[in-house]
Amino acid sequence: MARNTDAASESWTANQIAVFWHEGMLNHDTGNGVFDTGIDPGFLDVLEKHPENSDRVKNMVSILKRGPISPHLSWNIGRHALIHELLSFHTPEYINELVEADKEGGKTLCTGTFLNPGSWDAALLAAGTTLSSMKHLLDGHGKIAYALVRPPGHHAQPSQADGYCFLNNAGLAVQLALDSGCKKVAVIDIDVHYGNGTAEGFYSCNKVLTISLHMNHGSWGPSHPQNGSVDELGEGEGYGYNLNIPLPNGTGDKGYVYAFNKLVVPLIDKFEPDMIVLVIGQDSSAFDPNGRQCLTMEGYREIGRIVHDLATRHSDGLVLIVQEDPVAYYPEDETFSVKVIEAIKSYVKDKMPLWRTG
């Protein structure tokens, strides 16, 4: 009886998603202004919160703790990363720049990316919490771990900040997996923006396959020199190990699933990774003001099913999910435009004479 009970307990634990979180990450205050500028023009009564703000993550935590999937989650407290751990992905010069900026009370590192008092501590928590999530998997404590972290990280390159990101949380976790004996790691990034920092960190490496599905936004300045175009394929030994899938605006569920089935799945099957890292930003949702790629909840679910099937085939079910930019609301099934059009038709069909003719 005891043996069966233990087996049942182990099975229950294996089927849980281990969420790694630390409330100290809420102390990163991105401020108010016009969108992400942090600028008060002087003629607005109400300034916007920065798009990457703590309220969004608070809602995610509350939904996960009190929502319908809460029984399937186990909660684990995160930790601070140590400086020497950061050097596995970032250059010493860049880390020193961040440390000094924190000591001096803060710094604007690039457009929209503000290291304010409390930001460095939160960034260390995000990095360390992601590393703990990967360690959880490497030590055999579960199959799926979710690093619910902020500030986000996938734009942070080895030597510079970018796009609200200071430290590349996913990149650090990938390097930990390699250093711990994983031979090949696949990164699948579905944030609405190109995961340029992660790609840059492994651009010359054939042990890491980086795949990014993003809107076709191109470069946005010196902090983001990469275009995210199809011809950015890697270099040296890493040539052919970076796949960019720039998608047209409003691609939606069917387009994303088609891209997965035609491009992502065949490439992962050929690469045969022993660890998969899913980098997820819900800013691909139809309701995100900065992206509007029209992914719905069912679209995210289907992507999750596909990634889980890939992990079952190749990585013994191991998947690390790393949070990037979150969004406040999601549509429930079809794309937002379809919902609006159907609502308009329903409203006018009995009111406009033309609908009643013929």
Side-chain angles (χ1 to χ4, degrees):
M1 288 293 291
R3 186 179 300 115
N4 291 337
T5 301
D6 290 343
S9 177
E10 289 176 6
S11 175
W12 182 87
T13 301
N15 290 327
Q16 293 284 294
I17 297 176
V19 182
F20 284 77
W21 160 252
H22 195 293
E23 64 180 10
M25 289 181 282
L26 298 175
N27 294 330
H28 172 44
D29 183 1
T30 46
N32 299 324
V34 177
F35 193 59
D36 66 353
T37 64
I39 295 173
D40 179 357
F43 46 73
L44 295 176
D45 284 341
V46 180
L47 296 175
E48 298 175 294
K49 285 190 173 183
H50 190 285
E52 201 291 292
N53 62 73
S54 62
D55 287 351
R56 293 179 170 193
V57 178
K58 289 178 183 177
N59 278 339
M60 294 178 72
V61 171
S62 65
I63 290 168
L64 292 174
K65 287 189 172 181
R66 303 198 300 269
I69 69 168
S70 59
H72 304 284
L73 308 177
S74 63
W75 288 83
N76 304 266
I77 191 165
R79 66 169 178 88
H80 292 87
L82 303 175
I83 294 296
H84 75 84
E85 293 177 309
L86 305 180
L87 300 180
S88 69
F89 185 90
H90 294 287
T91 64
E93 294 79 12
Y94 174 57
I95 296 303
N96 287 339
E97 177 188 356
L98 295 178
V99 171
E100 290 304 312
D102 177 59
K103 289 180 181 178
E104 294 171 6
K107 182 179 182 180
T108 299
L109 296 167
C110 58
T111 301
T113 307
F114 311 113
L115 189 79
N116 293 323
S119 299
W120 180 234
D121 187 74
L124 290 173
L125 279 171
T129 298
T130 307
L131 288 171
S132 291
S133 305
M134 176 60 83
K135 191 71 163 55
H136 177 86
L137 299 179
L138 295 171
D139 289 346
H141 297 311
K143 297 292 187 182
I144 303 176
Y146 173 29
L148 177 52
V149 295
R150 73 177 291 267
H154 71 149
H155 296 311
Q157 295 145 75
S159 60
Q160 65 177 347
D162 178 42
Y164 319 156
C165 303
F166 307 108
L167 300 172
N168 196 304
N169 306 313
L172 289 163
V174 169
Q175 191 60 55
L176 175 61
L178 294 175
D179 293 342
S180 300
C182 288
K183 295 181 179 179
K184 291 184 287 186
V185 181
V187 180
I188 305 171
D189 189 327
I190 63 169
D191 187 278
V192 81
H193 302 111
Y194 176 33
N196 62 310
T198 314
E200 184 72 22
F202 300 105
Y203 209 60
S204 301
C205 177
N206 60 9
K207 295 180 180 179
V208 181
L209 173 65
T210 50
I211 302 174
S212 178
L213 298 89
H214 48 267
M215 69 176 180
N216 192 11
H217 53 67
S219 170
W220 56 53
S223 70
H224 190 108
Q226 303 84 3
N227 288 309
S229 56
V230 294
D231 58 352
E232 293 177 352
L233 293 167
E235 61 186 13
E237 290 185 350
Y239 183 80
Y241 290 87
N242 185 68
L243 173 64
N244 290 332
I245 308 174
L247 298 169
N249 288 350
T251 290
D253 294 352
K254 290 183 179 180
Y256 270 80
V257 171
Y258 190 77
F260 263 83
N261 289 333
K262 291 295 182 179
L263 295 169
V264 179
V265 171
L267 196 59
I268 296 287
D269 282 340
K270 291 180 182 295
F271 185 62
E272 297 181 323
D274 46 9
M275 178 66 72
I276 294 179
V277 177
L278 176 62
V279 180
I280 181 167
Q282 286 84 2
D283 49 4
S284 303
S285 161
F287 276 61
D288 185 81
N290 197 21
R292 297 197 181 281
Q293 281 296 69
C294 294
L295 267 176
T296 72
M297 285 296 288
E298 185 51 42
Y300 283 109
R301 290 189 191 102
E302 184 58 28
I303 289 171
R305 294 183 191 108
I306 294 171
V307 173
H308 184 263
D309 288 344
L310 286 170
T312 300
R313 289 204 296 275
H314 298 296
S315 61
D316 193 30
L318 296 174
V319 179
L320 172 63
I321 305 167
V322 181
Q323 182 65 50
E324 293 295 336
D325 292 330
V327 66
Y329 303 105
Y330 309 93
E332 285 301 322
D333 43 24
E334 299 188 75
T335 60
F336 184 50
S337 58
V338 170
K339 282 182 170 292
V340 171
I341 292 164
E342 290 298 323
I344 292 171
K345 181 178 179 180
S346 176
Y347 179 77
V348 302
K349 68 180 181 180
D350 294 327
K351 295 178 173 61
M352 296 181 68
L354 285 173
W355 282 105
R356 297 196 294 269
T357 61

